[in-house]
Amino acid sequence: MKDRAGETFQNHAMVAAGVAVVGLALAAALPQTPENRWPALWGTGLAALTGVVSLGLKRRAVQRSLQAALKVVGLVFALRAVAVAAGLYAIVSRGLGPWGFVVGFFGVYFVLQWVEISYVNAASRSAAGGDE
């Protein structure tokens, strides 16, 4: 079962990495001007970074209990709220528009959130003996 749990995490981590790469590629390619491109890249990068932290914390929490995983959800939500606020402040204080940051961050965040929920579900089923 230990190998199955590691495989489940590895599969979800690879999907999360793919989401981050695609998000960064889109943030680099789609905005027409550097004034829009840099905020989009920063937003996408912060979402990817918080996604890495979130998936790692959820992995450790799921190994303990589902209740611990739910506590991590709250912790990660707070972390992401701080990341969004700090990122928006940094972008706006440099005279750049906030929309590229918002679209970059939340475009990646929503997909990574789905990956994280999928991982917690799969890991919980595996821990309960329901992995097939």
Side-chain angles (χ1 to χ4, degrees):
M1 184 183 301
K2 196 72 156 171
D3 291 334
R4 178 73 176 137
E7 182 180 322
T8 297
F9 178 78
Q10 184 178 17
N11 289 343
H12 284 82
M14 288 190 304
V15 170
V19 168
V21 168
V22 169
L24 287 168
L26 289 173
L30 290 180
Q32 299 289 324
T33 64
E35 293 82 21
N36 292 326
R37 188 174 304 114
W38 285 113
L41 286 167
W42 273 100
T44 303
L46 273 176
L49 178 65
T50 60
V52 167
V53 171
S54 176
L55 202 54
L57 288 174
K58 287 177 181 173
R59 179 183 190 188
R60 290 181 60 198
V62 166
Q63 291 172 347
R64 292 185 200 148
S65 70
L66 187 55
Q67 187 176 20
L70 292 175
K71 288 179 183 177
V72 166
V73 168
L75 174 69
V76 170
F77 182 80
L79 170 71
R80 285 181 167 142
V82 169
V84 167
L88 280 173
Y89 176 77
I91 293 299
V92 172
S93 69
R94 287 168 176 73
L96 300 171
W99 293 112
F101 179 88
V102 170
V103 170
F105 186 92
F106 287 104
V108 171
Y109 162 75
F110 287 129
V111 179
L112 289 179
Q113 188 66 31
W114 174 80
V115 172
E116 293 165 21
I117 290 168
S118 174
Y119 169 70
V120 170
N121 284 336
S124 296
R125 273 182 288 160
S126 179
D131 59 338
E132 291 186 28

